[in-house]
Amino acid sequence: MSKAHRGTGIRKEVNHGRGKCVVCGATQIKILYEQDVDGNKVKVCKFCKAASKNKAQKAAKEAKKLAPVSPE
């Protein structure tokens, strides 16, 4: 199968989707993922996106454990 069209979506971006991640500060890294950071939508790298997703899932799991159980 041909692989000629890989990355065509980021070729249209400024600097081919590369820049500085506002969360971790890594430079010349692909910043393709929109995240809500401090109420602002910014683009972050895939490592910061995964870290925030894992943090949110862990917090939800902890909240579920600490939630009071209603007697039925």
Side-chain angles (χ1 to χ4, degrees):
M1 185 173 193
S2 175
K3 298 176 183 174
H5 301 292
R6 281 191 178 180
T8 56
I10 63 171
R11 288 185 200 151
K12 299 171 189 167
E13 299 267 336
V14 178
N15 292 331
H16 298 266
R18 292 185 176 268
K20 182 176 180 180
C21 179
V22 296
V23 177
C24 65
T27 57
Q28 289 302 310
I29 192 165
K30 291 180 187 172
I31 49 170
L32 304 173
Y33 307 96
E34 282 194 3
Q35 284 290 105
D36 194 28
V37 177
D38 298 330
N40 298 324
K41 287 219 175 215
V42 294
K43 288 194 172 188
V44 297
C45 65
K46 72 182 202 178
F47 304 111
C48 293
K49 179 181 182 275
S52 68
K53 181 180 176 185
N54 290 338
K55 189 186 298 183
Q57 286 178 346
K58 189 175 182 181
K61 195 179 284 187
E62 288 295 320
K64 192 174 183 180
K65 282 183 184 178
L66 298 176
V69 178
S70 61
E72 291 183 50

